[in-house]
Amino acid sequence: MYQCPHCGKPAITFLRKTFLGPGAPVPCRACEKTVKVSFLDWLKAALPGAIIMIAALFFDSGLAVYGLSLIGLALMIGLHVLRVPLVKE
């Protein structure tokens, strides 16, 4: 669970944060105030994975394309979950 920036109590689950974006605030489980992620932090977490996924398009091997795409996706999700903080709406 991730802490709410309003009340400091557990706000959302891992799975919920995985799909959380800057334009879709969600209510905290404890205080019901809305939390989200900032666009800049979200973008910083998404760019490295997106660059790897775009680079994968330049390979001829299907295995390389799928492999790099999965690595890019895992990097995007990992950075988002671990490095992007929740902020107040």
Side-chain angles (χ1 to χ4, degrees):
M1 297 285 278
Y2 297 90
Q3 286 189 339
C4 174
H6 297 284
C7 66
K9 295 180 181 175
I12 59 174
T13 63
F14 171 84
L15 186 60
R16 184 71 171 164
K17 183 158 186 225
T18 302
F19 294 103
L20 183 63
V26 296
C28 168
R29 288 181 141 183
C31 68
E32 296 296 321
K33 293 182 180 177
T34 54
V35 296
K36 65 177 188 171
V37 294
S38 74
F39 178 76
L40 189 58
D41 289 334
W42 175 80
L43 185 63
K44 287 179 189 177
L47 273 178
I51 290 169
I52 290 173
M53 293 171 85
I54 291 169
L57 298 174
F58 294 99
F59 286 86
D60 290 329
S61 167
L63 183 61
V65 170
Y66 291 124
L68 286 173
S69 295
L70 285 175
I71 290 169
L73 180 63
L75 184 62
M76 288 173 77
I77 292 171
L79 288 175
H80 177 73
V81 170
L82 296 174
R83 298 287 181 184
V84 178
L86 294 177
V87 295
K88 297 176 182 179
E89 166 65 358

